Amino acid sequence: MSSIRLAIVGCGGMGHRHLYGLGELHRQGLSPFRLVAACDPNRGNAESLADDAAELFDHRPAVVTDLDALAEVGVDAIDTPTLPRVHHDVAIGALERGWHCMVEKPVGLTVRACNLIAAAAKDRPQVLSVAENYRRDPMNRLARALLDAGVIGDPRLLIHHSMGGNGNRMLISVWRHQKNQSGLLLDVGVHFTDMMEYLLGPITTVYAQTRLHEKVRINPAARGDASASNPAGVYGKWQKEMPAEFEATAEDAAYATLEFASAASGQYIEDHAIHGEGSWLRQIQGSIGSMNLPPDRRGAPLSLNIEGKEIDGEGALELVPDFHLDEATAQLFGGERLSRYDFEFPEIDRKVIATEYADFGRAILEGRPPEVGIEQGTRSVAVSYAMMESGQSGQIVTIDDVIGERIDGYQAEINDDLGI
Ligand SMILES: NC(=O)c1ccc[n+]([C@@H]2O[C@H](COP(=O)([O-])OP(=O)(O)OC[C@H]3O[C@@H](n4cnc5c(N)ncnc54)[C@H](O)[C@@H]3O)[C@@H](O)[C@H]2O)c1
């Protein structure tokens, strides 16, 4: 296959960001794809993406509104930055048509939705990749290499604290505050649960308290206030059309204790309703030292403390002489061995998304599994829901029970709403 005929299915904010990532890969001469179609039931969104694509490539992709029309265009693979509610329908529809598929996170809206995708993928030859981008940040690659090399000894405790959200303001869009569409603890949380397992391996149990602090959210963009949360600057035109105020139904904070299979412990705070000072801490305490990781996709260096001695990012790099980034990441970020990088967020965003496409393309061409497949994608969703299941029941929850759908009291209402 000389070039993989690709369609982007879902042409909203992340669809446009994916396009810019694909453009970045193309600009670097690394893309095995040819974008042949933009697909979205909202034709205007697909037209907008096709217009932007015409600026990046030597052609304008076809515009279609459903998968049947996409089949007429002829595709080998699709990328699905659609609404989480429809991920399972779109992914299963693609697999049944014989297409490779890269699904945005969360891979399914509930664990059952993930399991349905897994069942459809089983025994099919196509690649099913999950677009989980945080782990691909070069700083997180370095952190993992340092852990693998035993630089801080055996990890004992992971602390993940992420607090922000500007009080009662809308985060990006209304749907991120709705339980049956993918609330914040899933939409954002799934990145963090993937990162915790990427760094320290499988999580086995969760005990959590969850809260819906802000029952009414306000959307500053509806009143012409440009300070709305708008990653990569792509969401403004849609935010202006969203309601100025709306009811939130999904929890916006989780406070949890986790256990890893390795016997390490985790302390997790994810709070999107902070009115005071926000904070970030991702720290791993080990048997001979500790590591502090920077926020994802910012390029700030990590730091170590080994037996009381402070080690900066450059010093950390020296401790892993064999560490190097994969070819695509190295070319995109400007070096095989990086202890920091300096780009504005939209450029970082493009580069990280480009690495997802690079992995997806290589998996298709080489017939190998992608870095993040349905199993890991499902685990990240399950750990996020384990917090909500535990928050509802007040019990310690095992991840195996959530993946096996033996514990799904919180998700039952969403599954009913999805009709699955
Ligand atoms: N990895 C990240 O950093 C990151 C960031 C933002 C969003 N996301 C993910 O990307 C996905 C989309 O988020 P978004 O911010 O672009 O949302 P969005 O609301 O901006 O866009 C969603 C798009 O999907 C379209 N859509 C709805 N039903 C569809 C269907 N059946 N088939 C095809 N398209 C359909 C909508 O019309 C809209 O254009 C979500 O899964 C979200 O979690 C990931």
Side-chain angles (χ1 to χ4, degrees), residues 8-18 39-43 45-46 65-67 80-87 89-90 103-107 131-134 172-173 175-176 182 186-188 190-191 231 234-235 238 242 297 345 349 353 356:
I8 294 181
V9 180
C11 304
M14 199 53 175
H16 283 69
R17 289 164 68 185
H18 275 221
C39 174
D40 197 306
N42 180 328
R43 180 175 276 278
N45 288 358
T65 54
D66 59 42
L67 297 190
T80 69
T82 55
L83 296 174
R85 266 187 82 79
V86 301
H87 283 184
D89 275 344
V90 174
V103 191
E104 250 300 346
K105 47 56 61 178
V107 57
E132 177 44 68
N133 46 358
Y134 285 25
I172 311 179
S173 52
W175 64 255
R176 286 177 169 82
S182 178
L186 179 65
D187 188 60
V188 181
V190 84
H191 287 300
V234 298
Y235 290 93
W238 293 291
M242 294 175 196
R297 302 177 300 173
F345 182 75
D349 196 44
I353 291 168
E356 295 179 321

Side-chain angles (χ1 to χ4, degrees), residues 11-306:
C11 304
M14 199 53 175
H16 283 69
R17 289 164 68 185
H18 275 221
L19 170 71
Y20 307 147
L22 188 64
E24 184 76 18
L25 197 67
H26 174 73
R27 206 171 63 78
Q28 298 278 352
L30 293 167
S31 178
F33 298 104
R34 178 176 172 82
L35 185 68
V36 296
C39 174
D40 197 306
N42 180 328
R43 180 175 276 278
N45 288 358
E47 294 283 0
S48 164
L49 191 137
D51 287 345
D52 283 3
E55 307 272 317
L56 295 171
F57 309 118
D58 61 2
H59 65 284
R60 187 178 192 274
V63 167
V64 298
T65 54
D66 59 42
L67 297 190
D68 286 339
L70 207 50
E72 309 243 315
V73 174
V75 298
D76 306 305
I78 67 166
D79 168 31
T80 69
T82 55
L83 296 174
R85 266 187 82 79
V86 301
H87 283 184
H88 60 289
D89 275 344
V90 174
I92 293 168
L95 291 166
E96 286 175 346
R97 288 171 171 85
W99 302 335
H100 304 283
C101 185
M102 178 162 82
V103 191
E104 250 300 346
K105 47 56 61 178
V107 57
L109 180 58
T110 61
V111 170
R112 182 167 299 165
C114 297
N115 287 341
L116 288 172
I117 298 174
K122 194 166 176 292
D123 301 328
R124 287 185 197 271
Q126 296 104 283
V127 172
L128 179 68
S129 174
V130 179
E132 177 44 68
N133 46 358
Y134 285 25
R135 59 166 61 208
R136 300 175 210 258
D137 178 335
M139 299 303 98
N140 289 333
R141 298 302 203 194
L142 175 58
R144 169 69 190 265
L146 289 160
L147 290 168
D148 287 351
V151 162
I152 63 163
D154 295 329
R156 295 174 174 174
L157 172 68
L158 181 148
I159 306 171
H160 175 106
H161 289 178
S162 134
M163 289 178 255
N166 273 332
N168 65 347
R169 285 170 177 230
M170 173 179 84
L171 263 95
I172 311 179
S173 52
V174 175
W175 64 255
R176 286 177 169 82
H177 299 277
Q178 309 304 320
K179 177 176 174 178
N180 64 357
Q181 305 218 36
S182 178
L184 293 167
L185 297 183
L186 179 65
D187 188 60
V188 181
V190 84
H191 287 300
F192 298 147
T193 56
D194 180 73
M195 273 304 303
M196 289 193 288
E197 292 208 326
Y198 176 61
L199 294 170
L200 291 200
I203 293 167
T204 51
T205 66
V206 169
Y207 170 72
Q209 295 177 29
T210 50
R211 298 285 185 273
L212 172 49
H213 289 304
E214 301 294 342
K215 296 181 180 61
V216 175
R217 289 265 171 177
I218 58 148
N219 165 24
R223 302 195 176 101
D225 176 347
S227 70
S229 124
N230 184 3
V234 298
Y235 290 93
K237 66 179 176 187
W238 293 291
Q239 289 174 331
K240 277 188 222 150
E241 307 302 319
M242 294 175 196
E245 195 176 291
F246 58 89
E247 186 194 350
T249 57
E251 289 77 357
D252 47 21
Y255 313 108
T257 298
L258 320 162
E259 187 175 18
F260 291 83
S262 67
S265 266
Q267 288 294 322
Y268 185 87
I269 297 179
E270 180 188 348
D271 191 327
H272 298 281
I274 294 294
H275 288 264
E277 189 180 0
S279 78
W280 167 268
L281 179 68
R282 185 182 283 144
Q283 184 180 71
I284 303 168
Q285 294 287 346
S287 55
I288 55 174
S290 64
M291 183 192 301
N292 272 26
L293 284 85
D296 306 288
R297 302 177 300 173
R298 294 293 181 277
L302 55 73
S303 64
L304 298 170
N305 185 309
I306 311 290

